[in-house]
Amino acid sequence: MSARLRGSRGGRGRWLLLLAVVLAVVGPAAASGAVDPTYDADGRLIETPFVPPAPPPSRLDEQGALAAALAYPKIRDWVARYPDAEIVKSAELDTAKRTWTVKVWADETAGQIVLATVQDSTGRVTQAWTGPQVAWTMARGYPGAFGRKINDPWIWFGLCALVAVGLANWRRPLSLRNLDLLVLLSFTASLWLFNDGRIFWSVPLSYPPMLYLLGRMLWIGVRGRRPPRPADRPIWPVWVVVVAAIFAVGFRIGLNVEKSNVIDVGYAGVIGAARIAGDGQVPYGTFPVRQGTECGRADVNGVVRDRIQENGRCEASNDRGDTYGPINYIAYVPGYVAFGWTGKWDDLPAAHFTSILFDCLTMVALGLIGWRFGRARLAATLVFFWAAFPFTQYASSSNSNDALLSCFLAFGFWLVTSAPARGLFLGLAGWVKFGPFLLAPLWATYPEWRAPRRGRRLVLFVLGLVLATALGFWVLLLDGHPIAGLQTFWDRTFGWQLGRDSPFSIWDWKQYRLPDLSVVQTVLKAGLLLLAALLAFYPRRKSPLQLAALSAALLIWFQLTLTHWFYLYIPWYVPFVAFALYAPVRREPRPPEPVPDDRPVGELVGVPG
């Protein structure tokens, strides 16, 4: 009995000794993180909070993070471009993510030239952005940033194959028709490099196809196009082209609904429509900005775009979305009325609706053009080309506003014999994006500047332009200060566009220590204005085929001069290029050979001798 008691007491003693050791070890550690306990009014203990343990010490210091980043080949090579500049560097530790953010600045012209992320535990560079990739996230090559699923190779090259099979001349592989088609599809090489973030390769590769198309359209616009040979007859019957067009239309709509995204351009359209139809405000100068109190979640890059705006609502910012013409925002009003807007940059069904609507309306206009000038085959061909051409699908899947411009221009071309209709639709297109106004002299003098009643036709054309302007600029009356609204409109549109910089052309690469081509750009701009004026008078008389080709030439030349160019602009001239290449051309009858005759000349021409 006493032995059992002694054993029990010895067991308790050992447990008490073990507990004392644990408390001796854990107690100080817990106490080091403890704060004062919390009591209620009666002195009862409510809780004893603890401060989380301190983060582990950093393995790198600022100099170590800078050294790791500057040794990275991509960063090292880029910084070497600025041997004579005063380089400023900084590194900041994110204690939660255990990563260093490294930034490097050069002179005032170049600004920040490096943005990198270095992992603290390993010293490995996990992100390295240089040059244009620092300020332009769209230059970094994020997968599917524009259009999502359309960038999948099997979809993109499947559409290329569909266009090639349907429109190529398989009887004569080396024909000019096939070369035209190959050039149109060759923009793909530039786009693929852009998707990989290789801007200094992708941008130069966009110019050769544009230069070829410019020369081809100018040639057709001045000289016309020769009639097709028997070997140039299309292989597909009309019904096959119709079936292929229907399939392509259904596919592009489904792709837009299920597997696309809305870029900032489409989002801007929804905001403008909400300001007009929802708030009764002038859209210019009232867009949500990234200033003030944050009120939303961070995106995948850790950036919070949502802020409390002056109207008191939490809205996702789009600071420069009010840079387009007023017709652009009015066009989004039906979608906004039908689907509304949450104030966030979410799925934006109103933008999807507007993009699909004007995409389909463009195809309707192309069908009407084709039926008017070439009946069923041309109508089916033009619709098929638009529906299957991957770059028009690229604009649709990005839900941009570029189909609006194509739509209005296509309807204007369909009604080409009506001067007021030409002026109206040209004005509507111009007040979406301003480039189409370059077509005004050409369209105003169609079909011949010396034709009878040319003064009356010119007045009607101008009245059409005035009506389009009135349909757009009534929005400046919404706040009761139209003059101030006009000034804000100019500052937010032309004033900003004329002075903007961009890495998506070769004209603004001086800041990257590349050749300064601004003089060449200025010469091209002057040449464009001269050409626009010249085409009003030459050729003296223009056919619809020539009008389409010359319209395409002006739009292409305009895009060649842009400081900010992008693949979404290609659909602007697609309707005109397609018409110029595929509209039927009839062979003119040859005049009869003169018959030798010995009679006096007066008798041959019916003049009395």
Side-chain angles (χ1 to χ4, degrees):
M1 186 87 176
S2 61
R4 239 185 248 130
L5 182 60
R6 284 195 303 271
S8 174
R9 289 176 177 174
R12 288 196 192 97
R14 286 193 296 271
W15 281 108
L16 289 172
L17 179 61
L18 178 60
L19 179 60
V21 172
V22 171
L23 289 175
V25 173
V26 176
S32 65
V35 297
D36 293 338
T38 305
Y39 300 91
D40 63 11
D42 298 327
R44 291 188 295 267
L45 180 67
I46 299 176
E47 61 177 338
T48 306
F50 290 91
V51 175
S58 302
R59 298 190 61 181
L60 295 175
D61 58 8
E62 182 178 3
Q63 294 303 316
L66 288 172
L70 294 175
Y72 193 71
K74 178 181 179 181
I75 296 175
R76 182 187 64 231
D77 294 344
W78 192 263
V79 173
R81 290 172 175 262
Y82 302 88
D84 54 343
E86 181 181 354
I87 302 297
V88 178
K89 301 166 286 187
S90 73
E92 182 178 351
L93 176 65
D94 186 328
T95 55
K97 297 180 179 179
R98 309 304 301 168
T99 57
W100 290 86
T101 299
V102 176
K103 300 178 181 180
V104 179
W105 292 266
D107 50 39
E108 293 182 358
T109 303
Q112 186 178 346
I113 60 174
V114 171
L115 176 63
T117 302
V118 180
Q119 193 172 9
D120 180 66
S121 59
T122 63
R124 185 170 64 91
V125 177
T126 57
Q127 286 185 328
W129 309 123
T130 59
Q133 295 175 329
V134 175
W136 294 82
T137 56
M138 63 185 285
R140 298 177 183 179
Y142 289 121
F146 291 85
R148 294 286 189 266
K149 198 70 174 177
I150 182 63
N151 294 282
D152 285 8
W154 70 273
I155 294 180
W156 188 274
F157 290 105
L159 291 174
C160 290
L162 181 61
V163 173
V165 170
L167 296 178
N169 186 345
W170 296 101
R171 297 186 182 93
R172 298 176 57 231
L174 300 181
S175 65
L176 189 58
R177 179 188 180 106
N178 290 349
L179 178 59
D180 295 335
L181 196 57
L182 179 63
V183 170
L184 282 165
L185 295 175
S186 70
F187 284 104
T188 298
S190 174
L191 176 63
W192 238 244
L193 289 167
F194 165 80
N195 287 340
D196 196 39
R198 302 168 68 180
I199 300 303
F200 294 108
W201 286 94
S202 66
V203 170
L205 278 179
S206 66
Y207 288 95
M210 280 197 283
L211 289 170
Y212 172 89
L213 291 172
L214 173 62
R216 187 84 167 96
M217 292 299 104
L218 286 175
W219 179 267
I220 294 175
V222 175
R223 302 293 299 272
R225 206 180 79 237
R226 68 171 181 78
R229 302 175 184 177
D232 295 333
R233 294 192 311 272
I235 295 178
W236 279 3
V238 174
W239 70 268
V240 175
V241 181
V242 171
V243 170
I246 293 173
F247 165 78
V249 171
F251 179 80
R252 71 191 286 118
I253 294 175
L255 196 63
N256 182 299
V257 172
E258 297 295 333
K259 300 291 183 179
S260 71
N261 67 331
V262 180
I263 64 172
D264 58 344
V265 175
Y267 177 42
V270 176
I271 297 173
R275 292 293 187 261
I276 295 170
D279 302 330
Q281 286 184 301
V282 177
Y284 301 102
T286 61
F287 266 50
V289 296
R290 197 184 300 182
Q291 297 174 0
T293 306
E294 295 182 357
C295 56
R297 297 179 179 178
D299 60 17
V300 293
N301 299 315
V303 177
V304 178
R305 300 188 63 95
D306 302 350
R307 298 288 196 278
I308 301 296
Q309 304 298 322
E310 290 185 1
N311 56 20
R313 292 197 297 266
C314 179
E315 295 178 346
S317 63
N318 193 350
D319 302 51
R320 281 294 173 180
D322 55 347
T323 189
Y324 304 107
I327 294 297
N328 175 73
Y329 307 111
I330 294 172
Y332 281 82
V333 168
Y336 168 76
V337 171
F339 297 98
W341 175 47
T342 64
K344 306 299 175 60
W345 193 342
D346 48 22
D347 291 338
L348 294 171
H352 286 272
F353 172 83
T354 305
S355 179
I356 293 173
L357 173 64
F358 280 90
D359 192 50
C360 291
L361 287 176
T362 302
M363 289 184 280
V364 169
L366 288 171
L368 294 172
I369 291 170
W371 186 264
R372 179 173 184 177
F373 296 104
R375 294 306 177 189
R377 174 166 290 282
L378 182 59
T381 299
L382 295 181
V383 174
F384 168 74
F385 185 84
W386 178 273
F389 188 52
F391 284 96
T392 60
Q393 178 64 70
Y394 188 72
S396 175
S397 289
S398 299
N399 289 283
S400 70
N401 58 7
D402 297 279
L404 277 66
L405 189 149
S406 304
C407 175
F408 292 134
L409 289 178
F411 273 106
F413 186 77
W414 172 51
L415 300 172
V416 67
T417 53
S418 170
R422 288 199 311 273
L424 172 64
F425 283 103
L426 180 64
L428 292 176
W431 292 126
V432 175
K433 294 187 173 181
F434 310 111
F437 283 124
L438 287 166
L439 305 182
L442 172 65
W443 283 35
T445 56
Y446 177 83
E448 183 179 358
W449 67 275
R450 295 177 59 182
R453 298 187 297 176
R454 60 183 180 275
R456 178 175 178 272
R457 292 180 179 179
L458 181 60
V459 169
L460 291 175
F461 178 83
V462 172
L463 287 176
L465 282 176
V466 171
L467 177 58
T469 303
L471 290 174
F473 279 87
W474 64 267
V475 300
L476 298 185
L477 302 174
L478 288 174
D479 64 358
H481 300 88
I483 303 302
L486 188 62
Q487 178 63 48
T488 304
F489 163 78
W490 174 269
D491 293 339
R492 303 295 294 181
T493 57
F494 290 98
W496 183 68
Q497 293 283 359
L498 292 174
R500 72 182 303 188
D501 59 351
S502 171
F504 301 106
S505 73
I506 60 176
W507 311 121
D508 196 32
W509 283 2
K510 179 182 178 181
Q511 59 180 305
Y512 309 123
R513 298 299 172 95
L514 292 168
D516 182 7
L517 300 176
S518 57
V519 175
V520 179
Q521 183 187 23
T522 302
V523 171
L524 287 175
K525 289 178 179 179
L528 173 62
L529 295 176
L530 181 62
L531 178 66
L534 177 63
L535 292 181
F537 309 103
Y538 181 84
R540 185 175 64 86
R541 183 171 182 83
K542 305 171 186 70
S543 66
L545 180 73
Q546 291 175 300
L547 181 67
L550 294 174
S551 297
L554 285 172
L555 291 174
I556 294 169
W557 194 323
F558 172 68
Q559 293 189 18
L560 281 169
T561 67
L562 290 177
T563 299
H564 182 79
W565 180 88
F566 200 59
Y567 307 94
L568 298 172
Y569 303 165
I570 294 174
W572 297 7
Y573 52 78
V574 162
F576 298 124
V577 170
F579 185 88
L581 296 180
Y582 302 119
V585 177
R586 293 176 177 83
R587 192 179 297 274
E588 297 291 336
R590 298 181 63 181
E593 295 290 337
V595 179
D597 200 310
D598 295 334
R599 288 177 295 171
V601 175
E603 291 185 275
L604 288 176
V605 296
V607 180

